[in-house]
C-alpha cells in the first residue's frame, strides 16, 4: 500500500471515529432527556470560532436546550453560551453589572452604584433582602426580585441565572443587585463564574459590607484598643445548610456573623461547647442596619436567643460577638451596669 492510500485510510478512520463519538454523546443526552418529563432534546455539534487574537477554537454547541428543574426553569448549566469566550459586551449590547447595595441606606451606596440604578434602560434582578429604600430609587420598571425563601434557595438561584440569561440574550444591561458586598458570603464569585460561562465578563461595583457597617450603625466598633485587636467574619450556614467550623475563643477577638440569625440558638450553644466561649460573652444583633426601622438587641450567649425571639428579630441582621459590644453601649462601665434587651435608637437610648 502506497503512502497516499495509507493517508486516505487514516482520514476515513478518523472521520468515522468522530461521527461515532458524536452519536454516542447524542444518545447519552437523549436518554437523559427522555427520563425527564420536562426536558427537551439536546442537539450537540461543533463549530470553529476565531477569537480576537486570531486563534481558532473548536467549541461544543448546544441548541434547543431546556433541561428544566421542578420549577420548570432551565438548568443554568444547560443554557447556551452567547459568546465563545467571555466579553464585556455582547454584539447585541447585552452586558452584566454585579452591584453591591450596602447595608440598606441609599446614602451608603457608592456614587457609581447610584448612577447605574438611575438608568431607566437597565434590567434589575435584585436579592429579596435589598431594602425598600434602595428599591425605591431604581429608575427602571424592568425589575425582578429573587424568590429566595427558606428551603428553595438553590431553585431561586437557578431562576436568577435564567432571568440574567434571558436579559443579556435580548441585549439588556442586566444589573444583578445584591445586598452588602456581593463577595462577602454573597455568592458573588459563583455568579461571576456562571456569567462567564454564558459568555459575559461581568463588571463589578463593590458595596459597603454589613460586616463592618452594620455594627457601627448600631454603635458597636468591631475593634477597640485594649478590647479587641482582631476581627473574624463568619456565615451561619455552610454548604448544603451545614454549620461552618468555629474559631476558638480569644478574649481580644470580635466575631461578626452574617446570615446567621436563623441559627442563633444553635450557634451560641456551639460557641460555648466547642469553641470555648464563656456563657456571659456579650452578643448584639443589628437588624436592618441603616434603614428607618433599624433595631439593635443586646444580651449574652445565654440570653440573646430568647431576646431575639421576644423581639421577633429577622433577616437581614448582623450578629456581633465579643467584649466590643459593651464598649459604647454600657451606661457605666466602671460600675458594670449593662444594657440588655432592645435598643431602639442607640444615639438617644445610651447617654
Amino acid at each position: 500500500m502506497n503512502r497516499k492510500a495509507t493517508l486516505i485510510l487514516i482520514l476515513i478512520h478518523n472521520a468515522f471515529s468522530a461521527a461515532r463519538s458524536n452519536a454516542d454523546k447524542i444518545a447519552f443526552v437523549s436518554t437523559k432527556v427522555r427520563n425527564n418529563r420536562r426536558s427537551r432534546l439536546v442537539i450537540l455539534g461543533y463549530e470553529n470560532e476565531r477569537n480576537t487574537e486570531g486563534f481558532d477554537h473548536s467549541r461544543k454547541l448546544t441548541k434547543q436546550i431546556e433541561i428544566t428543574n421542578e420549577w420548570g426553569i432551565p438548568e443554568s448549566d444547560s443554557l447556551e453560551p452567547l459568546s465563545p469566550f467571555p466579553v464585556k459586551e455582547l454584539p447585541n449590547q447585552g452586558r452584566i453589572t454585579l452591584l453591591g447595595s450596602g447595608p440598606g441606606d441609599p446614602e451608603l451606596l457608592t456614587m457609581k452604584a447610584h448612577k447605574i440604578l438611575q438608568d431607566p434602560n437597565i434590567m434589575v434582578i435584585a436579592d429579596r433582602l435589598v431594602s425598600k429604600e434602595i428599591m425605591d430609587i431604581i429608575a427602571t420598571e424592568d425589575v425582578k426580585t429573587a424568590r429566595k425563601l427558606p428551603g428553595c434557595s438553590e431553585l431561586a438561584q437557578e431562576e436568577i441565572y435564567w432571568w440574567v440569561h434571558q436579559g443579556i440574550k435580548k441585549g439588556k444591561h442586566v444589573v444583578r443587585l445584591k445586598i452588602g458586598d456581593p463577595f462577602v458570603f454573597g455568592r458573588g464569585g459563583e455568579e461571576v463564574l456562571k456569567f462567564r460561562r454564558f459568555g459575559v465578563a461581568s463588571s463589578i461595583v463593590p458595596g459597603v459590607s454589613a460586616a463592618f457597617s452594620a455594627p457601627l450603625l448600631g454603635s458597636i466598633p468591631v475593634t477597640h484598643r485594649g478590647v479587641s485587636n482582631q476581627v473574624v467574619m463568619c456565615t451561619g450556614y455552610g454548604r448544603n445548610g451545614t454549620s461552618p467550623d468555629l474559631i476558638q475563643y480569644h478574649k481580644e477577638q470580635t466575631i461578626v456573623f452574617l446570615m446567621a440569625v436563623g441559627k442563633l440558638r444553635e450557634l451560641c450553644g456551639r460557641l460555648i461547647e466547642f469553641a470555648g466561649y464563656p456563657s456571659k460573652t456579650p452578643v448584639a444583633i443589628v437588624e436592618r442596619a441603616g434603614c428607618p426601622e433599624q433595631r439593635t438587641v443586646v444580651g449574652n450567649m445565654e440570653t440573646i436567643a430568647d431576646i431575639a425571639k421576644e423581639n421577633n428579630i429577622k433577616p437581614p441582621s448582623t450578629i456581633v460577638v465579643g467584649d466590643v459590644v459593651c464598649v459604647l453601649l454600657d451606661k457605666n462601665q466602671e460600675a458594670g451596669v449593662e444594657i440588655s434587651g432592645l435598643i431602639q435608637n442607640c444615639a438617644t437610648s445610651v447617654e
Side-chain angles (χ1 to χ4, degrees):
M1 185 179 294
N2 60 34
R3 184 176 178 182
K4 184 175 181 180
T6 302
L7 180 59
I8 292 172
L9 287 175
I10 290 173
L11 291 174
I12 293 172
H13 177 270
N14 289 343
F16 273 106
S17 296
R20 182 175 180 180
S21 175
N22 283 342
D24 288 343
K25 290 175 183 176
I26 292 174
F28 170 76
V29 176
S30 297
T31 301
K32 180 179 178 181
V33 171
R34 282 197 298 269
N35 291 333
N36 184 337
R37 289 182 301 172
R38 297 188 181 93
S39 299
R40 296 180 185 175
L41 177 63
V42 178
I43 303 173
L44 302 180
Y46 292 86
E47 75 173 6
N48 289 325
E49 291 287 345
R50 184 177 295 275
N51 67 16
T52 54
E53 288 77 27
F55 295 105
D56 287 329
H57 291 274
S58 178
R59 71 181 179 103
K60 183 166 60 177
L61 295 179
T62 53
K63 297 182 179 179
Q64 201 183 339
I65 304 173
E66 285 193 11
I67 301 177
T68 59
N69 60 28
E70 60 190 84
W71 280 11
I73 298 165
E75 294 176 2
S76 58
D77 286 341
S78 70
L79 296 173
E80 61 177 328
L82 303 177
S83 171
F85 45 86
V87 293
K88 279 290 184 181
E89 186 173 290
L90 295 170
N92 66 359
Q93 298 186 321
R95 58 193 175 105
I96 302 170
T97 297
L98 198 64
L99 189 151
S101 66
D105 185 348
E107 294 186 354
L108 294 178
L109 284 168
T110 63
M111 293 179 68
K112 186 172 186 178
H114 191 278
K115 181 180 179 181
I116 290 172
L117 294 178
Q118 289 291 292
D119 183 349
N121 298 313
I122 60 175
M123 171 184 179
V124 175
I125 299 173
D127 280 350
R128 181 176 64 89
L129 294 177
V130 173
S131 71
K132 178 182 181 299
E133 290 72 25
I134 288 177
M135 296 296 288
D136 285 344
I137 71 169
I138 297 173
T140 182
E141 296 293 324
D142 192 359
V143 179
K144 296 181 184 295
T145 302
R147 296 188 289 170
K148 280 199 174 181
L149 298 169
C152 63
S153 62
E154 295 304 319
L155 289 169
Q157 188 66 38
E158 287 293 292
E159 185 173 51
I160 288 169
Y161 291 144
W162 171 232
W163 287 339
V164 171
H165 191 273
Q166 286 181 307
I168 57 176
K169 193 172 183 179
K170 295 175 182 176
K172 294 273 191 174
H173 176 194
V174 178
V175 176
R176 178 71 181 96
L177 182 61
K178 300 177 72 66
I179 62 172
D181 184 314
F183 294 87
V184 180
F185 306 123
R187 285 195 176 191
E190 294 177 37
E191 294 194 5
V192 166
L193 292 174
K194 183 68 69 174
F195 300 152
R196 285 179 185 172
R197 190 192 169 282
F198 293 168
V200 176
S202 309
S203 298
I204 309 297
V205 180
V208 177
S209 175
F212 299 113
S213 59
L216 186 56
L217 290 167
S219 293
I220 301 169
V222 292
T223 64
H224 189 80
R225 188 188 298 271
V227 179
S228 175
N229 56 24
Q230 53 186 278
V231 182
V232 179
M233 287 187 295
C234 295
T235 176
Y237 293 85
R239 290 187 67 86
N240 301 318
T242 60
S243 295
D245 293 335
L246 300 173
I247 193 165
Q248 293 298 302
Y249 173 73
H250 186 284
K251 182 170 177 59
E252 294 191 3
Q253 175 179 274
T254 304
I255 303 185
V256 179
F257 286 97
L258 302 177
M259 302 179 295
V261 72
K263 283 192 168 184
L264 183 58
R265 194 178 301 277
E266 175 189 344
L267 181 62
C268 290
R270 293 182 71 244
L271 284 169
I272 294 170
E273 184 177 356
F274 300 114
Y277 273 74
S279 60
K280 299 299 182 182
T281 302
V283 183
I285 306 173
V286 183
E287 178 191 52
R288 301 193 65 80
C291 298
E293 62 271 30
Q294 174 185 320
R295 297 188 298 168
T296 304
V297 294
V298 179
N300 59 43
M301 288 284 188
E302 293 180 332
T303 63
I304 191 64
D306 289 333
I307 292 171
K309 182 178 180 180
E310 178 184 344
N311 290 282
N312 196 28
I313 298 296
K314 295 181 178 180
S317 293
T318 303
I319 302 170
V320 187
V321 178
D323 289 341
V324 288
V325 168
C326 303
V327 168
L328 301 182
L329 296 185
D330 277 351
K331 286 184 176 179
N332 188 337
Q333 295 180 41
E334 293 183 0
V337 178
E338 179 183 325
I339 287 182
S340 179
L342 175 65
I343 303 171
Q344 288 286 357
N345 185 334
C346 296
T348 57
S349 298
V350 181
E351 299 177 355

